[in-house]
């Protein structure tokens, strides 16, 4: 079977929502350090290598919402598709206290090769799906570790990241805040987007409404948790979309 650096789900669906999962996989392609970054399996199973549970949530959401989705098929440690092309952390050499042996001495030529073979095809597929409709809303699915090494525990169940454009993220946050049992973060556990990152490239720079979902990964580490959170988020996303459309219609009439 021919390797592809991305996977597309439900490409024939016409939902206004486009689901993305930049850190879906911890896979290392054979042509990158012979498929081994020099880390033990335990480290490759940690959050440093991928967003634990995010792919499963994305798959379930795609089915529930009948929405197209694009997922990466390589570890963020190989090259990070959620970083800008010129970001110095595009290929990480140290992450959360762990040295990445195969990346320690990576040179510009190798970074360019990984970018051409993995990063660029993923972003081309992402943009092709996003541009299929004039009114696409990008919903990026990520997960975060409950605690970074030496840092305080992170209390949020889910965080929504946004950078200036709250057309969709605010209605979605309103839906989440109405859930009384959840601790919701706004631009937590991170403060918005990085210049040139995936949402910046495919949403902010193109005028597309968007929201980036960060789920605490201990909540979605298994299939049951992934299904539960997808089932919980799907109707909230549907309600937020209805609010967005109503507000957009009002502005069009004004």
């Amino acid at each position: 079977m021919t390797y592809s650096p991305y996977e597309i789900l439900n490409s024939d669906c016409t939902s206004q929502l486009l689901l993305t999962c930049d850190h879906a996989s911890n896979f290392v392609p054979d042509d990158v350090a012979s498929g081994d970054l020099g880390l033990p399996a335990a480290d490759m199973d940690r959050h440093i290598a991928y967003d634990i549970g995010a792919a499963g949530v994305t798959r379930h959401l795609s089915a529930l919402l009948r929405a197209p989705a694009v997922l990466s098929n390589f570890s963020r440690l190989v090259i990070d598709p959620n970083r800008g092309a010129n970001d110095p952390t595009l290929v990480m050499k140290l992450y959360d206290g762990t040295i990445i042996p195969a990346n320690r001495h990576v040179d510009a030529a190798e970074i360019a090769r990984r970018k051409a073979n993995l990063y660029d095809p993923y972003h081309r597929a992402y943009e092709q799906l996003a541009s299929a409709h004039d009114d696409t809303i990008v919903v990026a699915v990520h997960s975060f570790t409950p605690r970074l090494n030496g840092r305080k525990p992170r209390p949020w169940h889910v965080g929504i990241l946004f950078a200036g454009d709250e057309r969709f993220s605010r209605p979605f946050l309103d839906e989440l805040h109405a859930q009384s049992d959840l601790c919701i973060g706004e631009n937590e556990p991170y403060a918005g987007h990085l210049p040139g990152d995936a949402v910046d490239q495919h949403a902010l720079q193109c005028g597309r409404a968007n929201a980036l979902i960060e789920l605490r990964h201990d909540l979605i580490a298994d299939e049951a948790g992934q299904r539960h959170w997808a089932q919980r988020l799907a109707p909230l996303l549907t309600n937020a979309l209805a609010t967005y459309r109503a507000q957009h219609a009002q502005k069009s009439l004004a």
Side-chain angles (χ1 to χ4, degrees):
M1 185 175 179
T2 303
Y3 170 74
S4 173
Y6 60 85
E7 179 182 2
I8 293 175
L9 306 175
N10 290 323
S11 60
D12 57 338
C13 292
T14 58
S15 172
Q16 191 171 352
L17 302 178
L18 169 61
L19 302 169
T20 71
C21 191
D22 300 329
H23 299 147
S25 175
N26 61 356
F27 181 72
V28 181
D30 290 340
D31 67 345
V32 176
S34 299
D36 187 349
L37 296 178
L39 291 172
D43 276 333
M44 290 302 297
D45 286 337
R46 292 175 58 215
H47 69 280
I48 63 172
Y50 72 126
D51 280 1
I52 296 168
V57 173
T58 304
R59 294 180 192 281
H60 288 305
L61 280 174
S62 179
L64 290 167
L65 296 168
R66 295 298 297 162
V70 58
L71 299 85
S72 69
N73 193 24
F74 52 92
S75 172
R76 66 194 300 171
L77 296 180
V78 172
I79 189 167
D80 193 334
N82 191 41
R83 293 290 188 265
N86 297 316
D87 193 305
T89 63
L90 186 63
V91 175
M92 295 286 282
K93 299 183 179 183
L94 175 71
Y95 193 1
D96 195 22
T98 298
I99 294 172
I100 318 305
N103 291 348
R104 287 187 68 181
H105 304 295
V106 68
D107 59 16
E110 173 60 12
I111 293 174
R113 192 187 68 83
R114 296 185 195 181
K115 181 176 179 294
N117 292 344
L118 302 167
Y119 179 101
D120 290 344
Y122 172 75
H123 281 282
R124 283 196 295 268
Y126 191 145
E127 182 57 30
Q128 184 174 4
L129 287 172
S131 60
H133 306 287
D134 293 335
D135 54 357
T136 296
I137 298 172
V138 173
V139 178
V141 181
H142 290 254
S143 70
F144 65 94
T145 181
R147 186 173 190 166
L148 289 169
N149 287 331
R151 305 288 184 88
K152 294 180 180 179
R154 292 161 158 176
W156 310 281
H157 298 103
V158 58
I160 304 300
L161 277 58
F162 51 92
D165 184 354
E166 299 186 30
R167 290 174 294 167
F168 182 77
S169 58
R170 183 53 54 190
F172 185 37
L173 277 164
D174 290 343
E175 293 288 334
L176 285 165
H177 283 306
Q179 309 294 303
S180 60
D181 61 325
L182 296 181
C183 180
I184 308 298
E186 296 193 14
N187 282 333
E188 297 286 1
Y190 314 107
H193 305 299
L194 296 170
D197 70 10
V199 169
D200 187 35
Q201 288 185 51
H202 300 287
L204 296 175
Q205 293 182 26
C206 305
R208 296 179 181 123
N210 61 90
L212 190 153
I213 302 171
E214 286 275 6
L215 288 160
R216 206 177 69 208
H217 77 221
D218 59 311
L219 303 174
I220 56 170
D222 58 20
E223 169 69 18
Q226 293 157 22
R227 185 179 297 276
H228 168 79
W229 274 92
Q231 291 173 339
R232 186 160 192 180
L233 292 175
L236 305 185
L237 286 163
T238 299
N239 292 345
L241 178 57
T243 300
Y244 168 86
R245 286 173 171 168
Q247 292 174 346
H248 184 71
Q250 289 176 352
K251 289 180 180 179
S252 297
L253 294 172

